[in-house]
Amino acid sequence: MARPSSSHTDLQHDVPRETQPDLIVASLVDQDAVEIPIPATLVDETNDQSPGSLDSGSLASGTLAAGTLDSPVDSDGLAAASVPTASVPAAPVPTTSIADDESIQPTRLRRGLAFLKWSVSGTFSLASLIVILAVLTAIPLLQLIAFGYLLDVAGRLTNGAKFSESLPNLHRAGKVGLAALAIFLASLPTQLLVHWESVAQLIDPGSAQAASMRMMAMIACFFAIGYLLWAWVRGGSLKHYLWPQPKRFLRQAWRPRTYHAAVDSLWEMTTAFELPRLFWLGLRGFVGTLIWLAPATLLIAANRNGKPGAAGVIGAVCIFCLGISLLYLPMLQAHFASVNRLRGLFAVRTIRRDFRRAPWAWLLAMVIGLVLMPIPLYLLKIEATPREVVWLPCLVFVAFILPARIAEGLALRRARSKPEPSGTWARVSRWSVRLLMLPVVGTYLAFLQLSQYTSWDGLMTWIQQHAILLPIPFMGGV
């Protein structure tokens, strides 16, 4: 009988026969392709076992998950089997729910803080925008800028802009409001020292305490000016007011180019407000609206002639014509702002087609724009306020009229994003809204008629309609 090879002999001496199947299993786990001689006696003993099992007998018989061992048998009855690389995937590392919770909690915290920051910043910017528009409304001629801005909001929404894009320069308005708030807070120490100086001067004129207070007030004033200028040079955000960055101040404050860049940034911010464009838009919108309000002008003239009979007849006709105008005028203003052409204020056919597409949205916008928002403001027109604080009622007027303009723009945007409906329900909707529009406009005209007896400006209230014109309570203060 032929002598086995040296490799076979070494393996038989080094590794016992009963442990050879265990080595094969270990080779599968390690995923290494090795050649292990398997005695034929083991093959004969394990032929009766189930080929699908993963025990030592099934492995010795050559039946594996990866394939069948087809090694030839030599003269000594030993089979040289080549075990292929087993495709056993590595066991995944288990992840615990504690780790998931630890990873989710910081994410939720960051999202919550980001939402809080966005809410506070957006609210402050919106409040600053309303204050700026109120101040402009209280100044003659600049009122047209505020009126143009309100029209522009409705026009942007009509053209399909997102709600976040419908308020232009909202972020810049927040910066202006933050600067105004910083000036107010920075001036408080100076005002307090000046007050103490005046008190010391009254108690002991020419005293050293009064002189020291005066000097400290001057130092505080110059320090506040320098602090604010340095914050504005760096961008004017909240973090720039809270932390002055002293190292950067020492490196850049003495360089002229630092302030040259600040001047350029200020100019870019000023031009970004587009004040000339808004003024021109407001002026054309104001003139076009006055044309639609021609019946109101005739009504004022008829009541001032002192003829009750003629005034009654002319007044009834004028109020009827004015009611027809109000059915279309708010939407015509939004359409005019969207196309930026004066003839857009007289495109009645276009507006009627828009009404057919979304009559219920139209009704909701008219209820907001003619009833819910403007009517409560007539209470502020009863008594005029002093000229120094005339912007305070304008603040309320702007805060109420801005949502009305947004509602009108959204109604037109919805109408122009839908095809014209057809069918019985569409006809029923259109005629139902037409009937419901009559009490809406009638309610507005009733309060307008009443306001000529309660308003500070009397008959001029027919022209000073804040729902469709300038958002001001009266022409001027007392």
Side-chain angles (χ1 to χ4, degrees):
M1 180 178 281
R3 182 179 177 86
S5 62
S6 60
S7 60
H8 293 172
T9 305
D10 295 339
L11 183 60
Q12 290 175 357
H13 286 287
D14 295 340
V15 181
R17 181 174 299 177
E18 58 271 11
T19 61
Q20 291 179 7
D22 296 334
L23 291 178
I24 297 175
V25 175
S27 67
L28 291 178
V29 175
D30 294 337
Q31 299 182 5
D32 295 330
V34 297
E35 293 185 0
I36 302 176
I38 304 176
T41 56
L42 293 178
V43 176
D44 296 335
E45 292 174 358
T46 57
N47 280 336
D48 296 333
Q49 296 184 2
S50 173
S53 61
L54 196 58
D55 57 3
S56 59
S58 62
L59 293 174
S61 64
T63 305
L64 298 175
T68 304
L69 300 177
D70 298 328
S71 301
V73 180
D74 59 3
S75 59
D76 287 336
L78 297 178
S82 177
V83 182
T85 301
S87 58
V88 178
V93 179
T95 57
T96 61
S97 59
I98 299 177
D100 292 340
D101 294 340
E102 291 179 354
S103 61
I104 290 174
Q105 288 178 358
T107 303
R108 291 178 177 177
L109 181 60
R110 286 194 296 267
R111 290 180 179 178
L113 293 177
F115 177 77
L116 180 62
K117 178 183 176 182
W118 176 82
S119 301
V120 174
S121 176
T123 303
F124 182 80
S125 298
L126 182 59
S128 301
L129 176 64
I130 293 175
V131 172
I132 293 173
L133 293 177
V135 173
L136 292 175
T137 302
I139 302 174
L141 292 182
L142 297 184
Q143 300 166 340
L144 297 175
I145 296 178
F147 183 57
Y149 186 90
L150 296 175
L151 292 178
D152 190 41
V153 170
R156 287 172 178 265
L157 290 173
T158 302
N159 288 332
K162 297 180 180 179
F163 186 78
S164 58
E165 301 172 354
S166 62
L167 298 175
N169 299 310
L170 181 62
H171 178 67
R172 295 185 180 91
K175 278 193 172 184
V176 174
L178 188 60
L181 181 61
I183 292 173
F184 171 75
L185 295 178
S187 64
L188 291 180
T190 303
Q191 294 179 5
L192 181 61
L193 291 172
V194 169
H195 173 69
W196 287 349
E197 186 271 337
S198 61
V199 172
Q201 190 71 20
L202 289 175
I203 296 175
D204 188 6
S207 62
Q209 290 83 359
S212 63
M213 290 294 175
R214 187 182 307 110
M215 181 60 64
M216 292 175 61
M218 295 176 62
I219 294 175
C221 179
F222 284 112
F223 177 79
I225 292 175
Y227 192 93
L228 292 176
L229 285 177
W230 179 238
W232 294 336
V233 164
R234 290 176 293 146
S237 299
L238 180 61
K239 61 181 180 181
H240 300 138
Y241 292 103
L242 297 178
W243 177 242
Q245 292 182 317
K247 293 183 179 180
R248 182 179 177 183
F249 178 80
L250 295 176
R251 291 196 310 265
Q252 300 180 0
W254 55 274
R255 296 178 180 177
R257 64 181 183 182
T258 301
Y259 302 95
H260 293 165
V263 172
D264 295 338
S265 299
L266 179 61
W267 176 252
E268 291 177 359
M269 180 177 177
T270 305
T271 55
F273 280 103
E274 300 179 314
L275 298 181
R277 184 185 70 85
L278 294 177
F279 178 84
W280 180 236
L281 181 66
L283 178 61
R284 289 179 295 158
F286 182 80
V287 173
T289 304
L290 286 181
I291 296 175
W292 278 99
L293 294 180
T297 307
L298 295 176
L299 191 148
I300 294 173
N303 282 275
R304 286 184 174 178
N305 288 333
K307 298 180 179 179
V313 176
I314 296 176
V317 175
C318 291
I319 290 176
F320 177 78
C321 296
L322 185 61
I324 295 177
S325 300
L326 290 173
L327 290 173
Y328 304 102
L329 187 53
M331 299 302 178
L332 284 171
Q333 289 178 330
H335 174 67
F336 154 72
S338 66
V339 299
N340 197 20
R341 295 179 180 178
L342 185 59
R343 64 183 181 184
L345 267 171
F346 306 98
V348 179
R349 291 184 178 180
T350 302
I351 295 301
R352 288 178 63 88
R353 286 195 298 268
D354 294 332
F355 168 78
R356 294 172 61 89
R357 297 187 183 97
W360 294 107
W362 184 295
L363 176 63
L364 180 60
M366 296 295 283
V367 170
I368 296 175
L370 292 180
V371 178
L372 296 181
M373 293 301 170
I375 287 181
L377 298 177
Y378 281 102
L379 296 175
L380 297 177
K381 303 182 72 171
I382 296 175
E383 184 70 23
T385 56
R387 294 182 183 274
E388 293 79 9
V389 292
V390 71
W391 64 275
L392 287 176
C394 293
L395 186 66
V396 181
F397 272 68
V398 172
F400 272 71
I401 298 302
L402 181 59
R405 295 296 182 181
I406 292 176
E408 293 161 4
L410 289 175
L412 276 187
R413 185 180 72 176
R414 178 174 177 80
R416 295 181 179 181
S417 63
K418 296 177 59 179
E420 183 173 347
S422 59
T424 304
W425 171 247
R427 289 192 296 270
V428 170
S429 297
R430 287 195 294 267
W431 281 105
S432 299
V433 171
R434 288 189 180 106
L435 295 176
L436 292 174
M437 282 294 298
L438 298 180
V440 172
V441 176
T443 302
Y444 177 78
L445 290 176
F447 277 90
L448 194 61
Q449 174 75 16
L450 180 62
S451 67
Q452 68 177 342
Y453 304 106
T454 61
S455 176
W456 179 264
D457 292 324
L459 286 173
M460 291 300 297
T461 190
W462 290 99
I463 299 297
Q464 299 172 12
Q465 299 186 35
H466 48 268
I468 53 178
L469 276 176
L470 303 177
I472 55 176
F474 25 75
M475 297 302 297
V478 295

